[in-house]
Amino acid sequence: METLRGGQDEWRPPSEVRNIVRDSTIEYLVQAGWIQGDLVVNLPPPREPVDTAAEELARSVRAQWSAEVAAWELGDIEGPLAVRWLARWGATAPTDSTAPAGGTASAVDAIAPRPARSDRLGAVADTLLGLDTRRLLVLGGPGSGKSTLLAMTVVLLATRHLGDVTRRVPGDRGVPVPLLLSLESWDAESVGLRDWLVARLTEDHPGLPRVAGAHPARRLVRDGRVLPVLDGLDELPDHRRAAVVRELNAVPRELGFVLASRTQEYRSLDVRVVGASDIEALPVSPRDAAVHLLRTADRARHEQWGPVLDELADHPEGPLGQALSTPLMIWLARRAHRPAHTDPGRLADRARLPTREAVESHLMDTVIPAAFAPRAHDSERLHAPGQWNPTRARGWLAFLARELERHRTGEFAWWRLNRARAARLLAIPTLVALCVVLAESMMAVVTRVEDTYSESPQLNIDLFDRNYLFGAAVMATGIQLTTLQWYGDRFWEPRRRANPFKAGAALRSATRGASVRRALTSLAILVVPAAFFLLTAQGMYHSEAFTAQAVLGFILPALVMLVIAAPADTVDAATPDELLAGERRAGLLTLGVVAPLIGLGSAAHSLLTGHGTVDFWVAFAKGMTGAVIVLVAVSPWCLWVVSKAWLAVLGRVPWSLMEFLRDAYGGGLLQRYGGTYRFRHLRLQEHLAGRPAAVLPAAPLPAASTVAGPRQPFTVTGPQPLRPHRPEPRTTHPAVPTPRLSGFLDHPPPLHELPGYTVVSNDHEYVVDARDRRLPLGHWPLCGLFMVLAAVRMAATGNWDNAMGWTSVLFWPGFALFVNVAALLLPKMRLTLRIDHWGITASKGRHRAAYAWQDVLAVRVRQVYVRGRNQRVYGPHVRLRPGAAEPPRMFRGRDGWFLVMALHVREAMPPDLTDALARLSGGRWQP
């Protein structure tokens, strides 16, 4: 505040005194005295709601990735590793100083390649923001620091958007809010980039301030207020990588993005990102690696690092120098040898570590014991952190890595733990057995109570004894379906839940979490059965009892369930622990509130039909038990508990799995992407999934043994003379890997090697003639699901001890077996495929499709959809030019693609077919 008045001895009237407040952040201003004249207040312009939403998003993103950067130990070390990059920038946006003399502003010419450094990200960010097209490729080899650069760039851009109040640095609303996402969750073949960004923003940040009464995600994406930072392009299959690049090229120029990929995987694509600058990581020099290791080590241990520094100086091209040329391996070396009992000098032992692969394998093995070293105890934890056996910890991590590799994913979600083979075989039967035990135990108790204390006449009919049990199970199923449809959730998939004890916030989240279509569908599931039930009961005896049961046991529990299952209305993205805690709380409240309400409806029906107090409690117990059986079967938390328990019994995972994952994250082995965990690097996941044998020096094999060729017949023409046995020196040969089903699925054999297939292939045509079954054999999973539902129903009704109950369960495997027998007995259907210089012709029985090359724009492998249903198989598809004749309905896929022929359960296609498409399609084939 400045006061304009005279000097100390000079007096002026109050009318000449002026108080001026400039650039103040005060909320209230109080002035005592007389006010002469007018009071002028210049308020800042009101903020747009979208600006407020962008600021809240930037604050959440900065908090999330600042924690990740701190966990990766990137920003708080004394000697940050300066990774050198080679930047090739495109044209920058025109400014007044760069406008040509003619007066018309144009883009500045592309800048020649120039070096950049990871410890000077400010210059990189300035250049990126100044580009005419904000598209940047981050390339590099495995472990070269791409993900690290992305995370630090996200924190920097979010900080620039928000500013720094402590240093009086104002925020810049022109800087887009960075949004770091993994490409694994994006199906670029069916969902556009903008729609995917809107869905992720809505799901990860549901509590952003509303704009015009709606979530601001679409407005932020439409106005270019977010900058997608996309990681993991190289982790996708080839066809998905190409689909991502094509979709990125299709977005408007206003929506920039940053894309990271390994250099080799990106260069191998037939498509390129149009108009993008690129920045490529350079290998770390041995001198920089030595300086970094020395600066970050304790002074008392500098002598122990001496052999490593000498090896890097004397043999910069040696195995150690090659291994420590990436930031990942340098971090592993620093992290693995942080404990005082470790000896980093072993890294320089060429006898033990003769190759680069051996050094890298050694570092990835030794970092695990260092990551689980004992640390200070926290009173909020169940046990002291770091108290894990390193050998067992490696086995647990290896199990998780193998599961991720088997499912071809890099994200571990706790609710998908039941997909492990052991859990899949044991978890569902265990839940069914628990339901059977619970139902029969309850029925034994209530039957004893009825026989001892009840004064009402009892009917010795098993169906009447279990009607409340079965009716409650049906109502609980309807309530669960209503809730899932209202919020658009899926079975056994969690969502961050709101606190149901804050009823106002939960109700607000419940209203925001539903669309009009989903709400109408949910109301139809809720109201139609209830109305039909009430109308039917009007002319029956004790109609008021059925009305009370419908209201208390169906409608009221459904409303309570909507509040309990309401999604959280928070800005920050959910963590795995928060998701698990929300599901556990929702599951317990469901069992403790919703199930008793359903039981109360059954009890009210019993009371209003003239039964006594004992029968009231018996009906309550039956109804509550039936509801608990269904709610347990569909709860992600319950399935997680059972799956984790079985895997812990088998030694696959620890009992405190989430504590273990949290400690692995704190030790730098894992990183968090929203509600899932990922390994710190894909290289570490691959190493743990299949540990390679130590690479030892060996003499090269003869040339003849390394040349693959047809096997020669082995013929014995007569008795062979015995030869004296000569002991041969023992030699070690590499083990021949046993053929596995996963290898066959990922690398299918050529079609001409399959039984029943006839292939004619030359320079002019490729013709396939085969026979296939008329009935598909993929019905077993669906029949298995119905069998499980029938088993749950049998457990709820207690019919497991009679033939009728088992008939409903065994019907489904019998039906599946009948379909198999029918498929084998029916005459096979003819399949033909012809590819030549005219086009593609495919037929399946009496259905035929022909595509001329003049009408085909592209050929790709996609998932097969027939009449809108996903067939869970893949096959080549074609995209036709506008106006071209379309094939029959069964060949019509999704998103403008048309099926040629379904061939495989995975994206990989037979090599002879792909060669024919590449040779005869005239450049239209997109692998």
Side-chain angles (χ1 to χ4, degrees), residues 157-179:
L157 293 178
T159 302
R160 288 195 176 185
H161 183 93
L162 294 172
D164 192 347
V165 178
T166 60
R167 299 181 180 180
R168 298 183 179 274
V169 177
D172 187 358
R173 299 180 184 177
V175 177
V177 180
L179 200 63

Side-chain angles (χ1 to χ4, degrees), residues 128-157:
L128 172 62
L129 296 175
L131 292 177
D132 185 24
T133 303
R134 293 175 179 174
R135 297 184 175 187
L136 177 63
L137 287 174
V138 180
L139 304 176
S144 58
K146 300 182 296 297
S147 299
T148 299
L149 180 71
L150 296 185
M152 298 179 69
T153 304
V154 165
V155 174
L156 176 62
L157 293 178

Side-chain angles (χ1 to χ4, degrees), residues 659-833:
E659 291 281 349
F660 173 73
L661 295 176
R662 196 178 306 121
D663 288 341
Y665 167 75
L669 300 180
L670 302 178
Q671 59 183 355
R672 284 191 305 220
Y673 267 76
T676 60
Y677 282 106
R678 297 173 62 94
F679 279 92
R680 171 70 182 269
H681 197 273
L682 183 62
R683 181 72 178 87
L684 181 60
Q685 174 182 324
E686 295 170 347
H687 174 74
L688 292 173
R691 181 178 182 180
V695 181
L696 300 176
L701 296 174
S705 63
T706 60
V707 178
R711 293 187 177 183
Q712 301 297 325
F714 179 72
T715 307
V716 179
T717 58
Q720 303 296 313
L722 296 177
R723 298 181 180 180
H725 174 71
R726 298 180 181 179
E728 298 181 357
R730 298 180 61 183
T731 58
T732 303
H733 299 282
V736 178
T738 305
R740 302 179 61 182
L741 177 61
S742 59
F744 172 80
L745 296 178
D746 293 332
H747 305 285
L751 289 179
H752 67 266
E753 296 183 3
L754 299 180
Y757 279 75
T758 302
V759 178
V760 176
S761 179
N762 52 51
D763 294 338
H764 306 286
E765 62 182 1
Y766 178 83
V767 182
V768 178
D769 192 353
R771 298 293 188 273
D772 194 12
R773 296 184 180 93
R774 293 183 178 273
L775 293 179
L777 299 182
H779 56 283
W780 279 97
L782 187 60
C783 292
L785 176 62
F786 283 115
M787 184 182 67
V788 171
L789 294 178
V792 173
R793 178 182 177 274
M794 180 187 66
T797 57
N799 291 331
W800 63 275
D801 55 349
N802 56 55
M804 183 62 66
W806 285 103
T807 300
S808 62
V809 176
L810 299 179
F811 166 77
W812 295 106
F815 174 75
L817 185 60
F818 170 76
V819 174
N820 275 30
V821 174
L824 294 175
L825 295 179
L826 289 175
K828 292 186 177 182
M829 178 174 51
R830 185 179 181 183
L831 300 178
T832 61
L833 174 64

Side-chain angles (χ1 to χ4, degrees), residues 176-188:
V177 180
L179 200 63
L180 181 53
L181 300 171
S182 173
L183 286 171
E184 191 167 346
S185 61
W186 180 25
D187 184 8

Side-chain angles (χ1 to χ4, degrees), residues 403 406-407 415-424 493 643:
E403 288 299 318
R406 187 168 68 88
H407 294 288
W415 59 91
R416 300 194 188 111
L417 187 65
N418 63 301
R419 296 185 179 181
R421 289 192 178 98
R424 183 177 298 178
E493 288 196 8
S643 302

